[in-house]
Amino acid sequence: MNLADKDNDALNKLRSWHSQTAIILGSGLSSIVPNAGDKEIVPYAEFGEIPQPSVPGHAGRFVLAKIENVPVIVAQGRVHLYEAWNARQVTASIRVLAAAGVKNLVVTNAAGSINPKFRPGTWMMISDHLNLTGTSPLAGAARLDGEEATAGVASKGNPQFIDLTEAYSRRLRERFARVAAKEGIALHEGVYAGLLGPQYETPAEVRMLQRLGADAVGMSTVLEVIQARALEVEVVAFSCLTNLGAGLSDSQLSHEEVLQTGQGAAAVFSRLLSSALPEG
Ligand code: HPA
């Protein structure tokens, strides 16, 4: 079987949707975009380089959807460093989306709030991040783009020394903040710390992150954003604050609680997307 041909078929399905915008849905957030129904599905498995998610709540497919008549590619599910994939593998879907012509990326995740003013169940728009994973999708990119990529997908080489002064697009943030205010949706803004995981933090680590200037903590997003910016894709990202960070409340953290709170908060975010996307 010719893998390159197969990959190009899959890429062409995404390309032919002519979508400017892709949305990555994190843990428990699949319902942000209504049921797949008759929409076209392109499983990650059709792309040689995108690993299959193994965590409950992460589907592993692209859905070609329309939100208020705007064509979008929805990536349902992601893979994480803590599943023992490397920084290149966890960002393969971003390289695929860029190759499919996507210019704007909306990233979502579930995160712990470490700012006591940001209550669980609310959303935080990410203004900046701390990449505490210790790795980068751009490490070795100049060599690996050629070696790992299947034909067509990563034809555009990754630069390495990219500027991240405005990793999270001011233009898109202003738009979402304006729409949220108009719709009466509470939307915090703050700094996201991305860690390896998969264990949740200790209370001492949460205190450290607060001192470092983080408002939320999670195990995804930062590498995807770095990869997107390297390919000149504009990014806006949102954390669904599913719980207070360890030591900030009396309860223990659980993945079930994270999924449940995410499902509850998904409807609010759908409303925000439906109003903000048609603005173009
Ligand atoms: N810490 C890290 N990742 C998370 C959390 C948390 O408290 N909640 C959801 N994802």
Side-chain angles (χ1 to χ4, degrees), residues 14 17-23 33 39-40 62-75 97 102 104 106 273 277:
L14 300 188
W17 195 238
H18 299 293
S19 174
Q20 295 281 305
T21 303
I23 304 165
V33 173
K39 298 182 187 74
E40 189 166 358
F62 295 112
V63 180
L64 309 186
K66 284 197 174 173
I67 296 180
E68 301 294 318
N69 242 8
V70 180
V72 295
I73 301 176
V74 182
L97 289 168
V102 161
N104 302 315
V106 180
L273 268 185
L277 284 182

PDB file of all heavy atoms in Angstrom, residues 14 17-23 33 39-40 62-75 97 102 104 106 273 277:
ATOM      1  N   LEU A  14      -9.886  17.114   3.719  1.00  0.00           N
ATOM      2  CA  LEU A  14      -9.881  18.301   4.578  1.00  0.00           C
ATOM      3  C   LEU A  14      -9.778  19.572   3.732  1.00  0.00           C
ATOM      4  O   LEU A  14     -10.482  20.549   3.961  1.00  0.00           O
ATOM      5  CB  LEU A  14      -8.714  18.261   5.568  1.00  0.00           C
ATOM      6  CG  LEU A  14      -8.642  17.103   6.560  1.00  0.00           C
ATOM      7  CD1 LEU A  14      -7.527  17.351   7.581  1.00  0.00           C
ATOM      8  CD2 LEU A  14      -9.957  16.909   7.303  1.00  0.00           C
ATOM      9  N   TRP A  17     -12.857  21.073   2.029  1.00  0.00           N
ATOM     10  CA  TRP A  17     -13.864  21.735   2.879  1.00  0.00           C
ATOM     11  C   TRP A  17     -13.655  23.262   2.895  1.00  0.00           C
ATOM     12  O   TRP A  17     -14.506  24.014   3.357  1.00  0.00           O
ATOM     13  CB  TRP A  17     -13.799  21.125   4.285  1.00  0.00           C
ATOM     14  CG  TRP A  17     -14.971  21.433   5.167  1.00  0.00           C
ATOM     15  CD1 TRP A  17     -14.918  22.059   6.384  1.00  0.00           C
ATOM     16  CD2 TRP A  17     -16.357  21.136   4.950  1.00  0.00           C
ATOM     17  NE1 TRP A  17     -16.170  22.174   6.921  1.00  0.00           N
ATOM     18  CE2 TRP A  17     -17.073  21.614   6.059  1.00  0.00           C
ATOM     19  CE3 TRP A  17     -17.051  20.518   3.906  1.00  0.00           C
ATOM     20  CZ2 TRP A  17     -18.459  21.497   6.171  1.00  0.00           C
ATOM     21  CZ3 TRP A  17     -18.427  20.396   4.013  1.00  0.00           C
ATOM     22  CH2 TRP A  17     -19.120  20.878   5.129  1.00  0.00           C
ATOM     23  N   HIS A  18     -12.502  23.716   2.386  1.00  0.00           N
ATOM     24  CA  HIS A  18     -12.174  25.145   2.267  1.00  0.00           C
ATOM     25  C   HIS A  18     -12.432  25.904   3.563  1.00  0.00           C
ATOM     26  O   HIS A  18     -13.068  26.955   3.574  1.00  0.00           O
ATOM     27  CB  HIS A  18     -12.958  25.800   1.111  1.00  0.00           C
ATOM     28  CG  HIS A  18     -12.631  25.185  -0.208  1.00  0.00           C
ATOM     29  ND1 HIS A  18     -11.390  25.303  -0.799  1.00  0.00           N
ATOM     30  CD2 HIS A  18     -13.370  24.417  -1.045  1.00  0.00           C
ATOM     31  CE1 HIS A  18     -11.376  24.639  -1.932  1.00  0.00           C
ATOM     32  NE2 HIS A  18     -12.574  24.087  -2.118  1.00  0.00           N
ATOM     33  N   SER A  19     -11.943  25.326   4.645  1.00  0.00           N
ATOM     34  CA  SER A  19     -12.180  25.935   5.941  1.00  0.00           C
ATOM     35  C   SER A  19     -10.976  26.783   6.355  1.00  0.00           C
ATOM     36  O   SER A  19      -9.843  26.340   6.260  1.00  0.00           O
ATOM     37  CB  SER A  19     -12.407  24.812   6.959  1.00  0.00           C
ATOM     38  OG  SER A  19     -12.510  25.357   8.226  1.00  0.00           O
ATOM     39  N   GLN A  20     -11.265  27.994   6.808  1.00  0.00           N
ATOM     40  CA  GLN A  20     -10.211  28.879   7.319  1.00  0.00           C
ATOM     41  C   GLN A  20      -9.913  28.576   8.783  1.00  0.00           C
ATOM     42  O   GLN A  20      -8.884  28.973   9.302  1.00  0.00           O
ATOM     43  CB  GLN A  20     -10.689  30.342   7.255  1.00  0.00           C
ATOM     44  CG  GLN A  20     -10.922  30.880   5.859  1.00  0.00           C
ATOM     45  CD  GLN A  20      -9.614  31.269   5.203  1.00  0.00           C
ATOM     46  OE1 GLN A  20      -8.855  32.061   5.746  1.00  0.00           O
ATOM     47  NE2 GLN A  20      -9.342  30.687   4.054  1.00  0.00           N
ATOM     48  N   THR A  21     -10.868  27.919   9.437  1.00  0.00           N
ATOM     49  CA  THR A  21     -10.795  27.785  10.895  1.00  0.00           C
ATOM     50  C   THR A  21     -10.892  26.328  11.333  1.00  0.00           C
ATOM     51  O   THR A  21     -11.730  25.584  10.829  1.00  0.00           O
ATOM     52  CB  THR A  21     -11.968  28.568  11.550  1.00  0.00           C
ATOM     53  OG1 THR A  21     -11.891  29.922  11.110  1.00  0.00           O
ATOM     54  CG2 THR A  21     -11.908  28.526  13.059  1.00  0.00           C
ATOM     55  N   ALA A  22     -10.021  25.959  12.263  1.00  0.00           N
ATOM     56  CA  ALA A  22     -10.128  24.633  12.888  1.00  0.00           C
ATOM     57  C   ALA A  22     -10.293  24.823  14.391  1.00  0.00           C
ATOM     58  O   ALA A  22      -9.840  25.825  14.962  1.00  0.00           O
ATOM     59  CB  ALA A  22      -8.881  23.800  12.605  1.00  0.00           C
ATOM     60  N   ILE A  23     -10.967  23.858  15.000  1.00  0.00           N
ATOM     61  CA  ILE A  23     -11.231  23.914  16.437  1.00  0.00           C
ATOM     62  C   ILE A  23     -10.767  22.599  17.053  1.00  0.00           C
ATOM     63  O   ILE A  23     -11.167  21.523  16.595  1.00  0.00           O
ATOM     64  CB  ILE A  23     -12.749  24.081  16.702  1.00  0.00           C
ATOM     65  CG1 ILE A  23     -13.256  25.322  15.963  1.00  0.00           C
ATOM     66  CG2 ILE A  23     -13.055  24.172  18.190  1.00  0.00           C
ATOM     67  CD1 ILE A  23     -14.755  25.373  15.845  1.00  0.00           C
ATOM     68  N   VAL A  33     -19.339  20.935  19.583  1.00  0.00           N
ATOM     69  CA  VAL A  33     -19.841  20.931  18.221  1.00  0.00           C
ATOM     70  C   VAL A  33     -20.864  19.805  18.146  1.00  0.00           C
ATOM     71  O   VAL A  33     -20.576  18.674  18.518  1.00  0.00           O
ATOM     72  CB  VAL A  33     -18.700  20.734  17.222  1.00  0.00           C
ATOM     73  CG1 VAL A  33     -19.230  20.552  15.826  1.00  0.00           C
ATOM     74  CG2 VAL A  33     -17.783  21.942  17.287  1.00  0.00           C
ATOM     75  N   LYS A  39     -22.456  14.694   9.056  1.00  0.00           N
ATOM     76  CA  LYS A  39     -21.239  15.419   8.694  1.00  0.00           C
ATOM     77  C   LYS A  39     -20.151  14.439   8.286  1.00  0.00           C
ATOM     78  O   LYS A  39     -20.127  13.304   8.730  1.00  0.00           O
ATOM     79  CB  LYS A  39     -20.750  16.245   9.878  1.00  0.00           C
ATOM     80  CG  LYS A  39     -21.748  17.291  10.313  1.00  0.00           C
ATOM     81  CD  LYS A  39     -21.178  18.103  11.452  1.00  0.00           C
ATOM     82  CE  LYS A  39     -22.218  19.050  12.022  1.00  0.00           C
ATOM     83  NZ  LYS A  39     -23.222  18.314  12.820  1.00  0.00           N
ATOM     84  N   GLU A  40     -19.249  14.928   7.440  1.00  0.00           N
ATOM     85  CA  GLU A  40     -18.170  14.035   7.009  1.00  0.00           C
ATOM     86  C   GLU A  40     -17.134  13.894   8.126  1.00  0.00           C
ATOM     87  O   GLU A  40     -16.734  14.872   8.755  1.00  0.00           O
ATOM     88  CB  GLU A  40     -17.503  14.550   5.737  1.00  0.00           C
ATOM     89  CG  GLU A  40     -16.552  13.501   5.218  1.00  0.00           C
ATOM     90  CD  GLU A  40     -16.064  13.735   3.791  1.00  0.00           C
ATOM     91  OE1 GLU A  40     -16.481  14.712   3.155  1.00  0.00           O
ATOM     92  OE2 GLU A  40     -15.233  12.928   3.360  1.00  0.00           O
ATOM     93  N   PHE A  62     -11.307  14.068  12.703  1.00  0.00           N
ATOM     94  CA  PHE A  62     -11.704  15.390  12.230  1.00  0.00           C
ATOM     95  C   PHE A  62     -13.168  15.309  11.798  1.00  0.00           C
ATOM     96  O   PHE A  62     -13.567  14.340  11.145  1.00  0.00           O
ATOM     97  CB  PHE A  62     -10.877  15.820  11.021  1.00  0.00           C
ATOM     98  CG  PHE A  62      -9.415  16.016  11.326  1.00  0.00           C
ATOM     99  CD1 PHE A  62      -8.457  15.155  10.804  1.00  0.00           C
ATOM    100  CD2 PHE A  62      -8.988  17.080  12.117  1.00  0.00           C
ATOM    101  CE1 PHE A  62      -7.106  15.330  11.075  1.00  0.00           C
ATOM    102  CE2 PHE A  62      -7.634  17.269  12.396  1.00  0.00           C
ATOM    103  CZ  PHE A  62      -6.697  16.392  11.870  1.00  0.00           C
ATOM    104  N   VAL A  63     -13.941  16.313  12.158  1.00  0.00           N
ATOM    105  CA  VAL A  63     -15.327  16.414  11.682  1.00  0.00           C
ATOM    106  C   VAL A  63     -15.421  17.668  10.825  1.00  0.00           C
ATOM    107  O   VAL A  63     -15.011  18.752  11.266  1.00  0.00           O
ATOM    108  CB  VAL A  63     -16.315  16.512  12.870  1.00  0.00           C
ATOM    109  CG1 VAL A  63     -17.751  16.610  12.365  1.00  0.00           C
ATOM    110  CG2 VAL A  63     -16.162  15.323  13.802  1.00  0.00           C
ATOM    111  N   LEU A  64     -15.923  17.505   9.598  1.00  0.00           N
ATOM    112  CA  LEU A  64     -16.112  18.664   8.729  1.00  0.00           C
ATOM    113  C   LEU A  64     -17.511  19.204   9.014  1.00  0.00           C
ATOM    114  O   LEU A  64     -18.513  18.594   8.645  1.00  0.00           O
ATOM    115  CB  LEU A  64     -15.959  18.266   7.259  1.00  0.00           C
ATOM    116  CG  LEU A  64     -14.674  17.483   6.932  1.00  0.00           C
ATOM    117  CD1 LEU A  64     -14.535  17.257   5.436  1.00  0.00           C
ATOM    118  CD2 LEU A  64     -13.448  18.200   7.473  1.00  0.00           C
ATOM    119  N   ALA A  65     -17.555  20.316   9.719  1.00  0.00           N
ATOM    120  CA  ALA A  65     -18.831  20.816  10.238  1.00  0.00           C
ATOM    121  C   ALA A  65     -19.073  22.245   9.770  1.00  0.00           C
ATOM    122  O   ALA A  65     -18.178  22.889   9.200  1.00  0.00           O
ATOM    123  CB  ALA A  65     -18.807  20.770  11.761  1.00  0.00           C
ATOM    124  N   LYS A  66     -20.294  22.718   9.994  1.00  0.00           N
ATOM    125  CA  LYS A  66     -20.570  24.146   9.773  1.00  0.00           C
ATOM    126  C   LYS A  66     -21.123  24.709  11.060  1.00  0.00           C
ATOM    127  O   LYS A  66     -21.990  24.093  11.689  1.00  0.00           O
ATOM    128  CB  LYS A  66     -21.590  24.328   8.647  1.00  0.00           C
ATOM    129  CG  LYS A  66     -20.982  24.105   7.290  1.00  0.00           C
ATOM    130  CD  LYS A  66     -21.827  24.671   6.175  1.00  0.00           C
ATOM    131  CE  LYS A  66     -21.062  24.533   4.865  1.00  0.00           C
ATOM    132  NZ  LYS A  66     -21.845  24.893   3.694  1.00  0.00           N
ATOM    133  N   ILE A  67     -20.612  25.857  11.443  1.00  0.00           N
ATOM    134  CA  ILE A  67     -21.155  26.556  12.603  1.00  0.00           C
ATOM    135  C   ILE A  67     -21.690  27.878  12.077  1.00  0.00           C
ATOM    136  O   ILE A  67     -20.923  28.694  11.536  1.00  0.00           O
ATOM    137  CB  ILE A  67     -20.078  26.788  13.682  1.00  0.00           C
ATOM    138  CG1 ILE A  67     -19.591  25.432  14.206  1.00  0.00           C
ATOM    139  CG2 ILE A  67     -20.618  27.637  14.806  1.00  0.00           C
ATOM    140  CD1 ILE A  67     -18.531  25.508  15.276  1.00  0.00           C
ATOM    141  N   GLU A  68     -23.003  28.071  12.187  1.00  0.00           N
ATOM    142  CA  GLU A  68     -23.636  29.274  11.626  1.00  0.00           C
ATOM    143  C   GLU A  68     -23.198  29.474  10.177  1.00  0.00           C
ATOM    144  O   GLU A  68     -22.837  30.568   9.759  1.00  0.00           O
ATOM    145  CB  GLU A  68     -23.296  30.523  12.460  1.00  0.00           C
ATOM    146  CG  GLU A  68     -23.708  30.446  13.909  1.00  0.00           C
ATOM    147  CD  GLU A  68     -25.225  30.406  14.112  1.00  0.00           C
ATOM    148  OE1 GLU A  68     -25.928  31.146  13.423  1.00  0.00           O
ATOM    149  OE2 GLU A  68     -25.662  29.594  14.945  1.00  0.00           O
ATOM    150  N   ASN A  69     -23.201  28.375   9.444  1.00  0.00           N
ATOM    151  CA  ASN A  69     -22.861  28.401   8.009  1.00  0.00           C
ATOM    152  C   ASN A  69     -21.386  28.636   7.687  1.00  0.00           C
ATOM    153  O   ASN A  69     -21.019  28.782   6.523  1.00  0.00           O
ATOM    154  CB  ASN A  69     -23.723  29.425   7.264  1.00  0.00           C
ATOM    155  CG  ASN A  69     -24.568  28.718   6.224  1.00  0.00           C
ATOM    156  OD1 ASN A  69     -24.595  27.474   6.185  1.00  0.00           O
ATOM    157  ND2 ASN A  69     -25.213  29.486   5.371  1.00  0.00           N
ATOM    158  N   VAL A  70     -20.541  28.710   8.704  1.00  0.00           N
ATOM    159  CA  VAL A  70     -19.103  28.863   8.475  1.00  0.00           C
ATOM    160  C   VAL A  70     -18.472  27.461   8.490  1.00  0.00           C
ATOM    161  O   VAL A  70     -18.628  26.733   9.474  1.00  0.00           O
ATOM    162  CB  VAL A  70     -18.453  29.723   9.591  1.00  0.00           C
ATOM    163  CG1 VAL A  70     -16.958  29.878   9.351  1.00  0.00           C
ATOM    164  CG2 VAL A  70     -19.136  31.071   9.702  1.00  0.00           C
ATOM    165  N   PRO A  71     -17.790  27.057   7.397  1.00  0.00           N
ATOM    166  CA  PRO A  71     -17.173  25.730   7.417  1.00  0.00           C
ATOM    167  C   PRO A  71     -15.982  25.693   8.371  1.00  0.00           C
ATOM    168  O   PRO A  71     -15.113  26.565   8.315  1.00  0.00           O
ATOM    169  CB  PRO A  71     -16.709  25.516   5.970  1.00  0.00           C
ATOM    170  CG  PRO A  71     -16.629  26.871   5.378  1.00  0.00           C
ATOM    171  CD  PRO A  71     -17.551  27.774   6.147  1.00  0.00           C
ATOM    172  N   VAL A  72     -15.993  24.702   9.255  1.00  0.00           N
ATOM    173  CA  VAL A  72     -14.887  24.548  10.208  1.00  0.00           C
ATOM    174  C   VAL A  72     -14.453  23.085  10.217  1.00  0.00           C
ATOM    175  O   VAL A  72     -15.246  22.195   9.929  1.00  0.00           O
ATOM    176  CB  VAL A  72     -15.280  24.961  11.649  1.00  0.00           C
ATOM    177  CG1 VAL A  72     -15.585  26.443  11.748  1.00  0.00           C
ATOM    178  CG2 VAL A  72     -16.455  24.146  12.159  1.00  0.00           C
ATOM    179  N   ILE A  73     -13.189  22.870  10.530  1.00  0.00           N
ATOM    180  CA  ILE A  73     -12.718  21.499  10.768  1.00  0.00           C
ATOM    181  C   ILE A  73     -12.576  21.335  12.272  1.00  0.00           C
ATOM    182  O   ILE A  73     -11.847  22.093  12.919  1.00  0.00           O
ATOM    183  CB  ILE A  73     -11.364  21.235  10.084  1.00  0.00           C
ATOM    184  CG1 ILE A  73     -11.469  21.469   8.572  1.00  0.00           C
ATOM    185  CG2 ILE A  73     -10.897  19.807  10.388  1.00  0.00           C
ATOM    186  CD1 ILE A  73     -10.143  21.312   7.834  1.00  0.00           C
ATOM    187  N   VAL A  74     -13.308  20.376  12.811  1.00  0.00           N
ATOM    188  CA  VAL A  74     -13.261  20.151  14.252  1.00  0.00           C
ATOM    189  C   VAL A  74     -12.380  18.935  14.528  1.00  0.00           C
ATOM    190  O   VAL A  74     -12.630  17.858  13.987  1.00  0.00           O
ATOM    191  CB  VAL A  74     -14.674  19.900  14.805  1.00  0.00           C
ATOM    192  CG1 VAL A  74     -14.619  19.719  16.316  1.00  0.00           C
ATOM    193  CG2 VAL A  74     -15.596  21.053  14.443  1.00  0.00           C
ATOM    194  N   ALA A  75     -11.351  19.129  15.324  1.00  0.00           N
ATOM    195  CA  ALA A  75     -10.506  18.002  15.731  1.00  0.00           C
ATOM    196  C   ALA A  75     -11.034  17.521  17.076  1.00  0.00           C
ATOM    197  O   ALA A  75     -10.877  18.206  18.087  1.00  0.00           O
ATOM    198  CB  ALA A  75      -9.058  18.440  15.823  1.00  0.00           C
ATOM    199  N   LEU A  97      -3.498  20.223   9.702  1.00  0.00           N
ATOM    200  CA  LEU A  97      -4.486  21.303   9.523  1.00  0.00           C
ATOM    201  C   LEU A  97      -3.890  22.472   8.748  1.00  0.00           C
ATOM    202  O   LEU A  97      -4.550  23.057   7.878  1.00  0.00           O
ATOM    203  CB  LEU A  97      -5.009  21.770  10.886  1.00  0.00           C
ATOM    204  CG  LEU A  97      -5.933  20.777  11.597  1.00  0.00           C
ATOM    205  CD1 LEU A  97      -6.173  21.185  13.046  1.00  0.00           C
ATOM    206  CD2 LEU A  97      -7.267  20.653  10.856  1.00  0.00           C
ATOM    207  N   VAL A 102      -5.813  25.712   6.806  1.00  0.00           N
ATOM    208  CA  VAL A 102      -6.398  26.408   7.954  1.00  0.00           C
ATOM    209  C   VAL A 102      -5.527  27.604   8.355  1.00  0.00           C
ATOM    210  O   VAL A 102      -4.302  27.493   8.415  1.00  0.00           O
ATOM    211  CB  VAL A 102      -6.552  25.408   9.125  1.00  0.00           C
ATOM    212  CG1 VAL A 102      -6.705  26.109  10.454  1.00  0.00           C
ATOM    213  CG2 VAL A 102      -7.726  24.474   8.853  1.00  0.00           C
ATOM    214  N   ASN A 104      -6.792  29.955  10.994  1.00  0.00           N
ATOM    215  CA  ASN A 104      -7.116  30.310  12.384  1.00  0.00           C
ATOM    216  C   ASN A 104      -7.373  29.033  13.168  1.00  0.00           C
ATOM    217  O   ASN A 104      -8.098  28.158  12.696  1.00  0.00           O
ATOM    218  CB  ASN A 104      -8.401  31.139  12.478  1.00  0.00           C
ATOM    219  CG  ASN A 104      -8.313  32.412  11.674  1.00  0.00           C
ATOM    220  OD1 ASN A 104      -7.307  33.119  11.720  1.00  0.00           O
ATOM    221  ND2 ASN A 104      -9.357  32.694  10.917  1.00  0.00           N
ATOM    222  N   VAL A 106      -8.700  27.513  16.875  1.00  0.00           N
ATOM    223  CA  VAL A 106      -9.329  27.704  18.181  1.00  0.00           C
ATOM    224  C   VAL A 106      -8.996  26.461  19.007  1.00  0.00           C
ATOM    225  O   VAL A 106      -9.394  25.354  18.640  1.00  0.00           O
ATOM    226  CB  VAL A 106     -10.867  27.845  18.048  1.00  0.00           C
ATOM    227  CG1 VAL A 106     -11.506  28.042  19.418  1.00  0.00           C
ATOM    228  CG2 VAL A 106     -11.235  28.977  17.093  1.00  0.00           C
ATOM    229  N   LEU A 273     -18.844  30.478  20.390  1.00  0.00           N
ATOM    230  CA  LEU A 273     -18.320  30.182  19.042  1.00  0.00           C
ATOM    231  C   LEU A 273     -19.311  30.597  17.959  1.00  0.00           C
ATOM    232  O   LEU A 273     -18.930  31.209  16.958  1.00  0.00           O
ATOM    233  CB  LEU A 273     -18.094  28.683  18.894  1.00  0.00           C
ATOM    234  CG  LEU A 273     -16.742  28.092  19.213  1.00  0.00           C
ATOM    235  CD1 LEU A 273     -16.758  26.616  18.875  1.00  0.00           C
ATOM    236  CD2 LEU A 273     -15.626  28.790  18.439  1.00  0.00           C
ATOM    237  N   LEU A 277     -17.651  33.245  15.393  1.00  0.00           N
ATOM    238  CA  LEU A 277     -17.095  32.767  14.127  1.00  0.00           C
ATOM    239  C   LEU A 277     -17.598  33.516  12.888  1.00  0.00           C
ATOM    240  O   LEU A 277     -16.805  33.840  12.005  1.00  0.00           O
ATOM    241  CB  LEU A 277     -17.342  31.261  13.946  1.00  0.00           C
ATOM    242  CG  LEU A 277     -16.450  30.348  14.774  1.00  0.00           C
ATOM    243  CD1 LEU A 277     -16.775  28.894  14.469  1.00  0.00           C
ATOM    244  CD2 LEU A 277     -14.974  30.625  14.515  1.00  0.00           C
TER     245      LEU A 277
END
